[in-house]
Amino acid sequence: MAVQGSSDVLIDELYETTSRLRQFVEGRLREKGASVARLRALRMLARARQPLRMRDLSDMAGIAARPATAIVDSLERDGLVERVRHPQDRRAFLLRLTDEGVRCHREAEEVDRLALAEATAALDAADREQLRTLLARIRDHTV
């Protein structure tokens, strides 16, 4: 049973489930030298298909500027991301994946996909659809 952190056991169970999923995936990524936070940044840069400003990356990832900068600094040290001058604003930099960053992103996405498939293997197609429907109802009422 989930640790009680709210007045509704369902919410506690949702939180516990998402926390366990994140820890499960984090463990699998860590085995390959990656993390959920790093994958998220790589994913945002890969999906953008063009270099991003740091502010854009932090907004897209839903994290504050300071942790985003720490993640990007780490990715840059590892040769996965590079900072390039902004063409219209010489004071600003843009972030883009290096070739090695593209490769690492693909590998991390595969680890993520396999980990999530393993974690949800007990759900058949009908279970998955039902769960998605129920979660959508909650989201629709919290807009």
Side-chain angles (χ1 to χ4, degrees):
M1 175 167 237
V3 175
Q4 290 185 312
S6 75
S7 58
D8 187 329
V9 69
L10 173 65
I11 301 308
D12 292 337
E13 289 176 1
L14 282 169
Y15 178 79
E16 178 70 18
T17 301
T18 57
S19 293
R20 284 188 187 187
L21 278 171
R22 183 181 174 110
Q23 291 170 1
F24 185 78
V25 172
E26 188 77 46
R28 297 300 168 90
L29 287 167
R30 197 173 303 117
E31 291 171 6
K32 302 292 185 183
S35 71
V36 170
R38 287 169 60 101
L39 171 55
R40 204 169 184 193
L42 292 171
R43 184 180 284 150
M44 297 301 140
L45 289 167
R47 288 182 180 170
R49 303 214 188 271
Q50 62 186 12
L52 295 175
R53 294 177 304 164
M54 181 68 75
R55 181 178 356 151
D56 296 331
L57 178 64
S58 65
D59 288 348
M60 290 169 70
I63 58 175
R66 185 170 287 170
T69 300
I71 292 165
V72 168
D73 286 348
S74 166
L75 293 170
E76 185 178 34
R77 272 192 307 275
D78 293 343
L80 307 179
V81 169
E82 62 185 352
R83 287 177 166 95
V84 295
R85 289 262 180 218
H86 192 291
Q88 285 83 38
D89 182 356
R90 60 187 196 146
R91 297 169 297 160
F93 288 90
L94 297 172
L95 307 169
R96 72 174 172 210
L97 293 179
T98 62
D99 291 342
E100 181 66 7
V102 170
R103 187 190 66 71
C104 284
H105 168 249
R106 286 186 186 132
E107 286 181 6
E109 286 288 5
E110 182 64 7
V111 170
D112 181 63
R113 186 188 69 72
L114 292 171
L116 291 173
E118 181 181 344
T120 60
L123 301 178
D124 65 20
D127 293 335
R128 292 176 67 87
E129 188 58 35
Q130 182 180 18
L131 181 56
R132 291 185 70 210
T133 298
L134 294 171
L135 292 172
R137 272 199 227 159
I138 293 171
R139 285 192 308 273
D140 290 346
H141 283 87
T142 57
V143 184

